[in-house]
Amino acid sequence: ASFGGTSGNFQHQFSGRNGTNMVGLETPYVVYLRRFLPLTSTSTPLWQFDHPVPLENNDGLAGGPDNRRHANVAFTIERSGCLTGFAGYFDCDLFADETLSIVPQTHSEGMFSWFPIYFPLHQPIDVAAGQTITLDIWRCVDEHRVWYEWCVVSPVRTAIHNIQGRSSCVGL
């Protein structure tokens, strides 16, 4: 999985209705990003999952694989703008040289069935070219659900979005 900062008035208005809808601003959206401005030209890697799971990693719930993740990632803004959220991308190494990717730098030709995930911010943040943005993101799991939590650490600290999956989660 990898991440990049975005500026998208449409996505932010859709998800939060101008900041009045907390659930919408704490819900990640799988969406075709078309009316947005990437504030960086590359996405930053976060974490990976390996299949099959090596035995030494079977320390999760009920002795299964531990699919919780955390990343603290920093990236440099290349275009000044208004940071409204983050776009999440992934790629998949199937075998040998066979890869499927929606990461902008390595996007698989003809790949139209998978889309990025958009993580909105409660409040947009004005950012300048050359500024470093630091983000914490967690993939959380309990016995019944999976959810994401995220926050900006710098240049300003935001609240953690979607704590305990209060606004958005996926049932197991």
Side-chain angles (χ1 to χ4, degrees), residues 2 17 25 55 61 63 67 79 86 127 131 157 164 170:
S2 57
R17 312 294 192 267
L25 288 169
L55 289 177
L61 300 172
N67 287 319
R79 297 174 188 92
F86 300 90
V127 294
Q131 191 170 25
R157 183 171 290 276
Q164 294 296 309
V170 175

Side-chain angles (χ1 to χ4, degrees), residues 47 49 67-70 137-141 146-148:
W47 53 62
F49 293 90
N67 287 319
R68 296 170 296 174
R69 299 288 189 274
H70 170 256
I137 182 163
W138 298 265
R139 182 182 191 274
C140 305
V141 180
V146 175
W147 69 95
Y148 292 92

Side-chain angles (χ1 to χ4, degrees), residues 2-172:
S2 57
F3 247 51
T6 67
S7 181
N9 191 41
F10 174 77
Q11 287 86 3
H12 200 261
Q13 285 182 350
F14 172 80
S15 59
R17 312 294 192 267
N18 291 322
T20 61
N21 179 357
M22 185 61 68
V23 171
L25 288 169
E26 292 194 341
T27 299
Y29 297 91
V30 175
V31 61
Y32 175 61
L33 294 173
R34 57 187 177 136
R35 291 192 282 179
F36 82 106
L37 175 66
L39 298 175
T40 59
S41 60
T42 59
S43 57
T44 303
L46 292 180
W47 53 62
Q48 71 179 41
F49 293 90
D50 295 311
H51 301 282
V53 177
L55 289 177
E56 62 270 13
N57 290 346
N58 283 342
D59 54 359
L61 300 172
D66 187 355
N67 287 319
R68 296 170 296 174
R69 299 288 189 274
H70 170 256
N72 174 272
V73 62
F75 50 93
T76 302
I77 296 296
E78 295 174 15
R79 297 174 188 92
S80 296
C82 182
L83 179 67
T84 60
F86 300 90
Y89 306 95
F90 76 97
D91 59 12
C92 177
D93 293 328
L94 300 173
F95 56 87
D97 293 335
E98 298 297 322
T99 299
L100 296 176
S101 175
I102 63 168
V103 177
Q105 306 90 276
T106 59
H107 195 278
S108 298
E109 186 176 341
M111 176 73 95
F112 301 110
S113 58
W114 292 346
F115 299 105
I117 188 167
Y118 172 70
F119 292 85
L121 293 174
H122 291 159
Q123 294 293 322
I125 301 169
D126 288 327
V127 294
Q131 191 170 25
T132 299
I133 302 295
T134 306
L135 168 77
D136 271 326
I137 182 163
W138 298 265
R139 182 182 191 274
C140 305
V141 180
D142 67 18
E143 293 178 357
H144 305 288
R145 309 171 305 145
V146 175
W147 69 95
Y148 292 92
E149 299 178 6
W150 63 96
C151 69
V152 173
V153 177
S154 71
V156 297
R157 183 171 290 276
T158 67
I160 297 174
H161 295 60
N162 198 35
I163 294 173
Q164 294 296 309
R166 67 183 172 197
S167 297
S168 175
C169 63
V170 175
L172 295 176

